[in-house]
Amino acid sequence: MRALTLFLYEAVMHPSMVGALFPSSKRLAYSLTQQISTNPPGLVVELGAGTGAITAALIDQKNLFHQLIVIERSAKLSNHLTQRFPELSGQSTSVPIQAIVSSLPLRSLSSSIVKQIGTEINHVLIKGGLYIQYTYSLWGKPLCPSPQLKLIHQQWVWQNLPPARIDVFRHE
């Protein structure tokens, strides 16, 4: 099944899991990836990888084959990612997590789930590590899943459908 068809199917059948009607654009993926330093010392975790637009950018632009952990809840999208990126392998949990790139639809999740996500971020992300989240709520207050995350940068990406805002937080 083609990536766009698969994504649209999952978006219609499981809208609360997908949270978008279209995959991330190459421009959004590029902009998200630019928030991470070249050769980060630890792992990079991608939450909600979908069809892999951001995964591809993390691999192509940052060469993170051996540092990238990709998490996707949808079994169909996860199978697609495994076929698209067979070079990704499981990682040791003893390596510190330097950055988390999130495509999770936080604004459509309950506050208790967002709080649980924030608790897990606090447990796994190193101090000074980055949590990068994008949203389609361009002018709303950034939704921060943890009080231990401090907003350090915002960027608007107009070349995405719909346009998106990237919020970059540092773990304090």
Side-chain angles (χ1 to χ4, degrees), residues 8 12 40 58 78 117 135 148 151:
L8 293 173
V12 170
L58 289 166
S78 181
I117 291 169
T135 180
Q148 293 180 331
L151 182 67

Side-chain angles (χ1 to χ4, degrees), residues 62-76:
K62 300 295 181 177
N63 196 26
L64 294 174
F65 284 111
H66 304 291
Q67 293 174 266
L68 183 60
I69 297 175
V70 177
I71 299 171
E72 174 52 56
R73 188 169 137 184
S74 161
K76 289 184 181 191

Side-chain angles (χ1 to χ4, degrees), residues 7 22 26 30 37-38 45-47 55 57 71 84 92 104 110 114 116-117 120 132 153 159 166 169:
F7 187 90
F22 298 99
K26 287 184 180 181
Y30 173 82
S37 65
T38 303
V45 175
E46 181 185 5
L47 301 176
T55 309
I71 299 171
R84 184 173 176 191
S92 167
L104 298 179
S110 71
V114 172
Q116 288 176 345
I117 291 169
E120 292 303 317
I132 305 162
H153 178 71
Q159 301 88 357
I166 299 169
F169 300 89

